Amino acid sequence: PGNVRELRNAVERLKHMALHDPLTQLPNRTLFAEKASLMMSHDKRSGARTAVCFLDLDGFKPVNDSHGHEIGDQLLKAIAGRLQQCMREGDVVARFGGDEFALALGGLNDIGELLPILDRILVAVSAPLPLGGRHLARVSASIGVAMAPDHGHDLTSLQRLADEAQYRAKRAGRNRAVLCGDDNWMTSGPPA
């Protein structure tokens, strides 16, 4: 019986490692795709919308370069925790690598329901982070948003559109969220 339990625990650990980012313990791309696709299917049946968001940290590279990778890793873990606190139950936060995160928010009646959540995220990410005792890091986020069914019905298309919108957020001045295909719909975070 002990060996069976040990084997089962080892399999669970391997499964966790295969589906989660090793640094932040957030879901990785594979698990994000699985959860976001399920969310989209559920929302399609219920007539709700799903938001797929790509988030990239503004100012992460200078922090990582000047303070080292250990401080950079601490920052990524802290941001991961802040993102999770901003989300609603059932929403998904994933780390795709580097300073790139993905979010899936389901059960939205309209795009306006997303604004307070994005505002919370922008405020949380831009709050100063004490790191390593004597370091204080400041970063912000550029977020691109695509909605199902408004902008597409498959996750691959929505991810591409959210990625394009995220680059538009960076070009528009960073520390903001931009909706796919609508340069007039954007929300800005607190002044940097």
Side-chain angles (χ1 to χ4, degrees):
N3 289 343
V4 172
R5 186 178 15 246
E6 288 171 21
L7 182 60
R8 210 175 290 139
N9 289 342
V11 168
E12 285 302 312
R13 280 194 306 276
L14 287 173
K15 193 157 102 177
H16 180 84
M17 288 169 51
L19 296 173
H20 292 82
D21 172 60
L23 178 67
T24 62
Q25 298 305 307
L26 291 175
N28 63 16
R29 282 179 197 268
T30 303
L31 187 54
F32 177 81
E34 183 181 307
K35 288 182 174 221
S37 294
L38 284 171
M39 185 184 291
M40 289 172 61
S41 294
H42 179 268
D43 286 348
K44 183 178 181 181
R45 285 191 303 277
S46 69
R49 289 178 166 89
T50 307
V52 174
C53 308
F54 273 19
L55 182 153
D56 191 68
L57 296 180
D58 308 321
F60 174 72
K61 186 173 174 9
V63 171
N64 205 34
D65 289 349
S66 63
H67 298 292
H69 295 294
E70 188 177 316
I71 296 295
D73 286 353
Q74 286 179 33
L75 185 142
L76 290 170
K77 287 194 264 191
I79 293 295
R82 287 181 178 187
L83 290 174
Q84 287 177 300
Q85 289 174 352
C86 291
M87 303 294 274
R88 305 165 306 163
E89 189 174 333
D91 292 339
V92 182
V93 180
R95 179 171 175 234
F96 277 15
D99 62 344
E100 297 175 351
F101 295 85
L103 317 169
L105 300 93
L108 300 166
N109 294 312
D110 61 51
I111 291 170
E113 286 183 39
L114 190 57
L115 279 173
I117 300 164
L118 294 174
D119 286 339
R120 274 199 314 266
I121 290 169
L122 291 169
V123 167
V125 170
S126 64
L129 285 153
L131 300 170
R134 55 188 165 86
H135 300 289
L136 192 64
R138 291 181 186 271
V139 295
S140 61
S142 292
I143 306 171
V145 181
M147 302 282 289
D150 308 58
H151 304 119
H153 299 279
D154 68 286
L155 183 60
T156 303
S157 298
L158 292 173
Q159 287 182 146
R160 182 180 48 77
L161 293 169
D163 193 40
E164 290 171 8
Q166 182 256 308
Y167 280 105
R168 287 202 344 264
K170 280 206 179 287
R171 286 194 304 271
R174 303 170 187 253
N175 194 29
R176 67 193 66 231
V178 173
L179 179 65
C180 158
D182 188 351
D183 285 327
N184 296 318
W185 188 96
M186 82 175 56
T187 180
S188 295

